[in-house]
Amino acid sequence: MRVLLAGGAGYIGAHTAVALLESGHEVVLLDDLSGTQAVAAERVETITGKAAPLVVGNAADDEVVEAVFAEHGPIDAIVHLAAFKAVGESTQKPLDYYANNLDSTFALLRVGLAHGIRSFVFSSTGTVYSDPADLPFTEDSTTSVDLSNPYSKSKRMNEVILADVARVNPDVNVTILRYFNPVGAHPSGLIGEDPTGIPNNLMPYVSRVAIGTLDRIGVFGDDYDTPDGTGLRDYIHVVDLAEGHVVALEQAQPGLAVYNLGTGVPVSVLQLIASFEAAVGRELPKEFLPRRAGDVAATYCDPAKAAAELGWRTRLTIDDASRDYWNWQSRNPRGYSA
């Protein structure tokens, strides 16, 4: 099938493009390049030896999306990865986050449905789950729009919108994928995560310390009720995550489906740091700091539904992710910038 990947030059998008191309599908990438660079699309083509045309534009603009269909159609499916995603920034710029993260869904749906798309896959998040007592989170665990930040709220709002769209378009496959914590990079070292400024997520932060652009790793909280006192998270290798999108498209049935994409194996902050230190071959400077407001002791999922219905399971470990991320970072110390 021919797939429009909105946000297709980003971290998850580029890896998903590789997975789709290697599975025999065609891709068209749409990205405004606000969080990545065009070279990511070029490297997708280098890895796969296949075309990955990039349209530079805003997925929230109906005219831009319409032009993609006009130039690159017919398009069978849309994978919607385009979103502002910095949780902390979302609390300072709520209007920007709601506008971008909702308007992109509206535009892609309006244009896509008008052109007869058969499948729509949405990039959601495990942060829509609202009751820590539900661990491990299943797709039936409690969700809410009364969440701690506009980023998570916008994702849950999108889920509600998509459920209504699926209800009145019963022939369309609408799939919601709730990601947990993507880490790692493609084993080639050609594509990976390239955050601007100080990274918001742990592995890129640790990697920046290892490469020497940041001084030390801040560990926020060492007194949680966990085995080593630090927070537990479900870290999924981005290659496994990308493959989840492929099976979601290939196995989806008409109607609405929701799947967790995670390992189901919680890893602590200190375990991730130790794994990365092993990949680098040396200990990294770190300091323990007070807990951050809004952080919880643990969050991880039960991915059994995706295994049962899609045949999807993770293959890669946190050590694989550390090795591959360090390979990416050491080969590209400034990310995609030359």
Side-chain angles (χ1 to χ4, degrees):
M1 69 182 76
R2 181 172 295 170
V3 181
L4 169 58
L5 276 177
Y11 174 44
I12 297 169
H15 289 84
T16 301
V18 169
L20 285 165
L21 289 166
E22 290 182 338
S23 296
H25 302 289
E26 299 176 75
V27 300
V28 179
L29 311 181
L30 172 60
D31 205 298
D32 66 2
L33 302 183
S34 60
T36 187
Q37 297 186 41
V39 67
E42 298 172 8
R43 293 187 181 187
V44 166
E45 294 184 340
T46 299
I47 292 168
T48 63
K50 298 179 180 180
L54 171 65
V55 178
V56 179
N58 189 346
D61 186 330
D62 287 51
E63 292 185 0
V64 170
V65 181
E66 187 69 56
V68 174
F69 275 80
E71 182 177 354
H72 296 282
I75 290 171
D76 304 301
I78 294 174
V79 176
H80 178 15
L81 308 168
F84 292 160
K85 62 179 184 177
V87 171
E89 183 183 62
S90 78
T91 65
Q92 303 301 314
K93 299 179 178 180
L95 186 57
D96 290 349
Y97 271 69
Y98 290 128
N100 181 75
N101 292 2
L102 293 172
D103 286 349
S104 56
T105 301
F106 295 148
L108 291 165
L109 283 170
R110 278 192 294 257
V111 177
L113 291 172
H115 283 270
I117 61 161
R118 299 197 304 268
S119 294
F120 191 96
V121 175
F122 177 66
S123 162
S124 191
T125 170
T127 63
V128 300
Y129 295 117
S130 54
D131 186 353
D134 287 342
L135 288 174
F137 294 124
T138 72
E139 290 79 0
D140 294 324
S141 294
T142 305
T143 60
S144 173
V145 293
D146 185 20
L147 299 164
S148 63
N149 62 84
Y151 164 75
S152 299
K153 289 178 182 178
S154 73
K155 290 292 189 179
R156 181 59 188 140
M157 290 175 183
N158 271 308
E159 291 190 357
V160 173
I161 292 164
L162 287 167
D164 285 340
V165 168
R167 178 176 51 82
V168 298
N169 295 275
D171 294 332
V172 177
N173 309 330
V174 178
T175 305
I176 293 169
L177 302 179
R178 291 175 178 160
Y179 305 166
F180 279 73
N181 296 72
V183 289
H186 193 269
S188 67
L190 290 174
I191 57 173
E193 191 172 8
D194 187 19
T196 57
I198 297 176
N200 293 292
N201 297 323
L202 180 59
M203 187 167 284
Y205 199 104
V206 172
S207 187
R208 293 282 179 89
V209 173
I211 206 72
T213 57
L214 291 173
D215 292 336
R216 63 188 64 249
I217 305 160
V219 178
F220 294 95
D222 61 352
D223 57 352
Y224 288 106
D225 184 17
T226 62
D228 64 16
T230 64
L232 296 172
R233 298 294 181 266
D234 193 335
Y235 295 103
I236 176 173
H237 197 298
V238 68
V239 170
D240 281 333
L241 182 63
E243 291 173 355
H245 294 76
V246 177
V247 296
L249 285 170
E250 293 178 343
Q251 304 295 328
Q253 301 297 316
L256 177 70
V258 180
Y259 298 102
N260 289 331
L261 294 188
T263 67
V265 180
V267 172
S268 77
V269 170
L270 289 181
Q271 285 176 316
L272 182 147
I273 293 171
S275 173
F276 209 90
E277 289 174 331
V280 175
R282 67 180 188 279
E283 186 174 353
L284 301 174
K286 60 187 76 68
E287 63 178 331
F288 291 93
L289 300 168
R291 298 185 186 186
R292 292 181 299 192
D295 278 354
V296 296
T299 178
Y300 57 97
C301 77
D302 179 351
K305 183 181 177 184
E309 296 186 6
L310 303 178
W312 175 87
R313 294 173 177 82
T314 58
R315 299 178 294 106
L316 301 168
T317 67
I318 192 64
D319 290 338
D320 295 322
S322 296
R323 177 201 65 217
D324 293 340
Y325 201 104
W326 180 237
N327 180 44
W328 149 257
Q329 185 75 87
S330 56
R331 287 171 58 112
N332 303 270
R334 297 178 58 202
Y336 290 119
S337 299

